[in-house]
Amino acid sequence: MSQSLLKVVDLQKYFPVRGGLLHRVKAQVRAVDGISFELQRERTLGLVGESGCGKSTLGRAVLRLTEPTGGDVLLNGESVIGLSKEELKAKRREMQIIYQDPYASLSPRRLVGDTIREPLDVHGIGTPSERRAKVDELLDIVGLRKQALSRYPHEFSGGQRQRIGIARALALNPSFIVADEPVSALDVSVQSQVLNVIARLQREHGISFLFISHDLAVIQHVSDDVGVMYLGRLVEFASSVDLYREPKHPYTRALMSAIPVPDVKRKSKRIVLGGDVPSPMHPPGGCPFHPRCPDAMPQCKEVVPPKVNTGTADEPHFVRCHLYSDAGPPGVE
């Protein structure tokens, strides 16, 4: 197995809710509630779940774009959480982000060439001529012509703007990139072009991706491993092949049943979940999914399900569900 690049340990991000005359903290929104996983080198981890489950907050907390409430993040064996401001600035050369909205993430007042060159300027990398050459190289990597350097973001299509965002993320030669819904705002035909660019970057440059999306078809296409989030928690984690072949958690099965089937002759049985997603401010006790789960048992309301490996030591398939609480090899947490 390839060496671990990123290790996330019991990561938490709570947002305080204040109220009253003294503006005191009344409650906490548990956006990310104790998540742990590892990402191997030159692999893509897909993170999927309904809107509001905490996917984007997790991605930003991993990069310390928002400060975690607890837990730890290790990149190349070094804790990101304990770094000072200056140390974190240097560490950002190893980790970057591609944002969801390709227009909002680009300054409308800056030329494309200046936008792509900005990370090189901030970190003082190379001479002016070397920076210009690097920008030309980045444009070529993402499939844009050099004429783009002297144009503004509004002069490009959505797919082209996302390529500009990818070029900016690549400027510092990072080993890890968080791709936060990078194709959700694009047309389907343009999505495939951008996804092909990302796949080629991984093959040629060995970059590891945390790919966040609510689209399970996209996640299946790009991911080596997949994590399923629900209400700030990771409820299932496995290789993409295993998870799509045999989803374990009832929530994962419900998500899978909603994937459109291109063959009109094939009938897929849709699993419709009842009720609404509980508030992360007041999550239910026990398993957070039990109020909507078609397979809920009495213990689901009281006991938090342990993480169980339903796969093997070499090909693990982790799930947090009482349906499998007696499964897995001895010693699994």
Side-chain angles (χ1 to χ4, degrees), residues 134-154:
K134 180 66 174 179
V135 171
D136 291 343
E137 177 189 350
L138 291 168
L139 281 179
D140 183 63
I141 288 174
V142 299
L144 291 176
R145 298 179 178 178
K146 291 184 180 180
Q147 290 89 329
L149 294 174
S150 57
R151 296 166 63 185
Y152 290 93
H154 73 269

Side-chain angles (χ1 to χ4, degrees), residues 214-244:
H214 64 272
D215 189 327
L216 279 92
V218 169
I219 288 291
Q220 183 180 22
H221 178 70
V222 302
S223 302
D224 299 297
D225 305 291
V226 179
V228 182
M229 279 189 70
Y230 183 79
L231 210 64
R233 302 180 187 180
L234 208 56
V235 298
E236 190 164 1
F237 189 98
S239 71
S240 178
V241 173
D242 285 348
L243 188 119
Y244 280 83

Side-chain angles (χ1 to χ4, degrees), residues 46-163:
L47 197 62
V48 69
E50 293 173 291
S51 297
C53 71
K55 305 185 300 297
S56 295
T57 301
L58 173 61
R60 295 177 66 85
V62 166
L63 298 177
R64 272 189 66 186
L65 294 176
T66 181
E67 287 294 336
T69 305
D72 202 0
V73 177
L74 292 93
L75 184 66
N76 287 315
E78 181 181 8
S79 174
V80 174
I81 304 301
L83 298 180
S84 66
K85 186 176 180 180
E86 286 301 315
E87 291 171 333
L88 181 61
K89 178 183 176 181
K91 195 70 173 177
R92 293 209 186 281
R93 295 174 64 166
E94 301 177 40
M95 54 185 189
Q96 289 292 310
I97 186 170
I98 302 170
Y99 292 98
Q100 175 178 357
D101 189 336
Y103 189 69
S105 64
L106 303 174
S107 172
R109 298 183 179 182
R110 304 195 70 179
L111 296 172
V112 166
D114 296 336
T115 295
I116 298 175
R117 196 185 65 247
E118 183 179 16
L120 302 173
D121 295 338
V122 170
H123 288 268
I125 297 175
T127 63
S129 61
E130 289 172 337
R131 294 176 195 177
R132 286 193 295 270
K134 180 66 174 179
V135 171
D136 291 343
E137 177 189 350
L138 291 168
L139 281 179
D140 183 63
I141 288 174
V142 299
L144 291 176
R145 298 179 178 178
K146 291 184 180 180
Q147 290 89 329
L149 294 174
S150 57
R151 296 166 63 185
Y152 290 93
H154 73 269
E155 300 179 64
F156 296 89
S157 68
Q160 290 172 322
R161 286 196 290 262
Q162 194 59 287
R163 289 169 185 255

